[in-house]
Amino acid sequence: MNYFSLHHKSPKTSFKNAVVNGIAPDKGLYFPETITPLSKDFIENIDTFSNKEIAFEVIKQFVGNEIPEKKLKEIITETISFDFPVVPITNNIGVLELFHGPTMAFKDVGAKFMANCLAYFNENNEEEITVLVATSGDTGGAVANGFLGAKGVNVVILYPSGKVSDIQEKQLTTLGQNITAFEVNGTFDDCQEMVKTAFLDTTIPKKLTSANSINVARWLPQMFYFFFAYKQLHKKQKELIFSVPSGNFGNICAGMLAQKLGLPIKHFIAATNVNDTIPNFMLNGIYTPKQSIATISNAMDVGNPSNFIRILELFNNNFDALKNIFSSFSFTDDVTKIQMKKINVNFDYIAEPHGAIGFAGLMKYKLKDNEYGVFLETAHPVKFKDVVEKTLNVKVEIPTQIKKVINKEKVATKITTYQDLKEFLIQN
Ligand SMILES: *Cc1c(COP(=O)(O)O)cnc(C)c1O
């Protein structure tokens, strides 16, 4: 399968190169050259396939012959080694729980798939690859865990000292093996700046790559769970509406690609916090990026969502066609808390802020009688324990996955300047 750059100024490239390099030389995002719908037969008989078989059908055209079938199936098995249940909330709303993976965040799926693809492509390469990541908290854990033990790949994670939660910090700093954590005396922006500087620094004798959500190997496997949800819901014989809490718009864009492959989804709602660049765009078709604003759903504090350009490409930049199947609504922290309470009191379910924004999206859309709404819960409430406990006046139990990490010892090197990072990259 070939991929082209959405800036159209770089040559087409293979899946392998798109994964290894992340972004095209012209800084455009990669996009698959062809998208072939799956057979109607497959979709109609989805019940008869296991999740692994479904995932293989969904991804195979995007990988082509660049990973042998047997290997790709192994990668899939590792990627989706946990449940993706749709839990009923009301008689016409369900929540697709994406937090049953190792770090209890939906990013576990994309991170694991990407790590395994990268390890495969680098298998016979003498030179190791170093993945550099700056994290404000939630992403880092999923990436670190996904890449743990990946052969020929080293991971260096930078996080701002004192600005991530205790659980998040433990998830980043207790893994060991090929994962190195740097605790940066500064902000998330400082971490990101160091990573950017390293990528441009030609004096570092290492192959550096990033693991952010624009990588096709993180984006594409996110289609899997839209199919898994359909498998659980199609017997209801209702039209499906998905509400996706969105920040960089990678997750929802994967859902929309699934629809393009023939998955019967009627409408998508991109629910955001007050970072409302896309809700504004949907009002008038004018894209105005903004500085990001801090909210309680901080994994979605994005003022210039990188994946939205892929959504436009899926619709050939036809605004009216997009509007027919896509809406986007923005919600304040106050509304987020009100919805968290409502879900808890009325439906006896604990949603963390991101999931609650997804629910708010369904409320605003107003489901019709023949429709069934699904909102995505992108993280376990324990990942946002403080705000959940304060808002709902409940105690969030710590699941075993997290307990295991909490008791381990933190290992992180404190750094202050780019020079500290550079010395490490040169010496190790
Ligand atoms: C990353 C993240 C999101 C946003 O996903 P995008 O693909 O960037 O839109 C939502 N919720 C949580 C918990 C996240 O970590």
Side-chain angles (χ1 to χ4, degrees):
M1 165 62 84
N2 274 328
Y3 288 78
F4 65 92
S5 162
L6 288 175
H7 285 178
H8 303 282
K9 293 192 182 79
S10 297
K12 284 173 200 160
T13 197
S14 60
F15 175 69
K16 174 181 172 174
N17 281 331
V19 174
V20 172
N21 295 317
I23 198 158
D26 63 8
K27 306 277 181 255
L29 269 61
Y30 280 119
F31 196 86
E33 195 173 26
T34 56
I35 297 169
T36 311
L38 303 174
S39 77
K40 281 217 167 62
D41 215 43
F42 170 74
I43 307 258
E44 277 165 17
N45 295 299
I46 198 156
D47 280 337
T48 62
F49 296 93
S50 68
N51 277 4
K52 283 174 206 166
E53 288 165 335
I54 293 170
F56 180 72
E57 269 318 293
V58 168
I59 203 78
K60 70 179 183 194
Q61 66 172 298
F62 299 101
V63 176
N65 58 8
E66 295 176 55
I67 298 178
E69 184 172 324
K70 184 165 171 285
K71 181 72 202 177
L72 183 57
K73 285 183 172 163
E74 283 169 23
I75 293 178
I76 287 170
T77 303
E78 271 201 43
T79 303
I80 55 166
S81 62
F82 46 88
D83 292 337
F84 298 84
V86 180
V87 176
I89 294 289
T90 70
N91 62 2
N92 64 349
I93 294 179
V95 50
L96 172 57
E97 294 185 346
L98 299 178
F99 55 71
H100 296 279
T103 75
M104 316 208 89
F106 83 94
K107 292 187 177 79
D108 280 331
V109 172
K112 192 56 154 187
F113 190 82
M114 179 184 164
N116 281 330
C117 290
L118 205 55
Y120 172 76
F121 289 136
N122 210 36
E123 208 169 51
N124 298 316
N125 205 338
E126 292 276 299
E127 194 193 359
E128 298 200 323
I129 291 188
T130 301
V131 174
L132 257 188
V133 207
T135 182
S136 57
D138 213 41
T139 310
V143 169
N145 196 284
F147 282 78
L148 182 66
K151 284 208 189 70
V153 186
N154 291 312
V155 177
V156 176
I157 298 189
L158 284 73
Y159 71 95
S161 180
K163 296 192 177 64
V164 304
S165 76
D166 288 349
I167 290 175
Q168 287 172 337
E169 183 169 42
K170 287 281 174 139
Q171 286 185 321
L172 298 171
T173 58
T174 59
L175 291 167
Q177 295 186 48
N178 58 332
I179 315 293
T180 306
F182 282 114
E183 180 175 0
V184 175
N185 190 3
T187 62
F188 169 62
D189 290 337
D190 296 326
C191 299
Q192 209 158 26
E193 202 49 47
M194 285 190 195
V195 168
K196 279 191 193 153
T197 311
F199 282 128
L200 297 173
D201 188 341
T202 50
T203 65
I204 292 176
K206 286 242 161 68
K207 170 90 186 137
L208 297 180
T209 191
S210 82
N212 59 22
S213 69
I214 57 174
N215 195 296
V216 294
R218 268 193 65 182
W219 170 44
L220 296 167
Q222 300 176 123
M223 282 190 289
F224 297 162
Y225 37 74
F226 289 91
F227 283 86
F228 302 162
Y230 176 72
K231 182 179 162 183
Q232 295 170 68
L233 294 171
H234 73 107
K235 285 214 183 75
K236 294 193 183 293
Q237 308 259 357
K238 293 212 169 171
E239 297 191 287
L240 293 181
I241 315 296
F242 277 83
S243 179
V244 184
S246 296
N248 249 324
F249 283 66
N251 209 11
I252 194 166
C253 181
M256 294 169 88
L257 183 57
Q259 183 194 44
K260 198 108 183 168
L261 292 185
L263 194 68
I265 297 174
K266 185 184 179 194
H267 201 87
F268 285 93
I269 301 155
T272 74
N273 56 32
V274 289
N275 291 283
D276 57 1
T277 303
I278 303 307
N280 284 342
F281 173 82
M282 293 312 292
L283 293 178
N284 54 23
I286 298 168
Y287 187 91
T288 316
K290 292 183 177 174
Q291 281 290 333
S292 67
I293 299 165
T295 72
I296 57 168
S297 49
N298 56 32
M300 311 198 297
D301 294 349
V302 182
N304 188 9
S306 35
N307 279 289
F308 192 67
I309 186 167
R310 284 186 169 135
I311 292 181
L312 293 176
E313 181 69 23
L314 279 172
F315 287 81
N316 294 317
N317 290 295
N318 182 332
F319 186 62
D320 291 328
L322 176 63
K323 251 170 122 171
N324 273 333
I325 69 117
F326 178 87
S327 313
S328 191
F329 306 123
S330 147
F331 302 97
T332 62
D333 279 356
D334 283 345
V335 171
T336 307
K337 288 181 189 166
I338 289 169
Q339 296 294 2
M340 286 168 70
K341 284 183 200 147
K342 181 172 155 192
I343 298 167
N344 186 231
V345 172
N346 294 358
F347 313 124
D348 198 23
Y349 187 85
I350 295 180
E352 53 69 58
H354 304 79
I357 285 181
F359 177 81
L362 285 177
M363 292 298 107
K364 180 128 184 186
Y365 168 86
K366 290 197 173 62
L367 292 164
K368 293 162 201 79
D369 278 348
N370 61 336
E371 292 174 344
Y372 189 91
V374 180
F375 67 98
L376 274 54
E377 180 48 293
T378 43
H380 189 283
V382 79
K383 308 272 319 253
F384 298 89
K385 196 166 175 286
D386 292 350
V387 59
V388 170
E389 292 188 336
K390 243 205 203 128
T391 308
L392 301 182
N393 215 352
V394 295
K395 195 105 198 91
V396 178
E397 282 221 28
I398 301 188
T400 32
Q401 279 110 308
I402 305 289
K403 269 194 194 138
K404 271 191 230 155
V405 202
I406 288 182
N407 292 323
K408 285 194 193 163
E409 199 188 334
K410 161 183 162 185
V411 180
T413 307
K414 282 207 171 167
I415 63 170
T416 305
T417 64
Y418 171 67
Q419 204 57 32
D420 302 332
L421 174 66
K422 180 170 175 168
E423 268 164 33
F424 173 87
L425 289 174
I426 289 174
Q427 282 163 17
N428 290 273

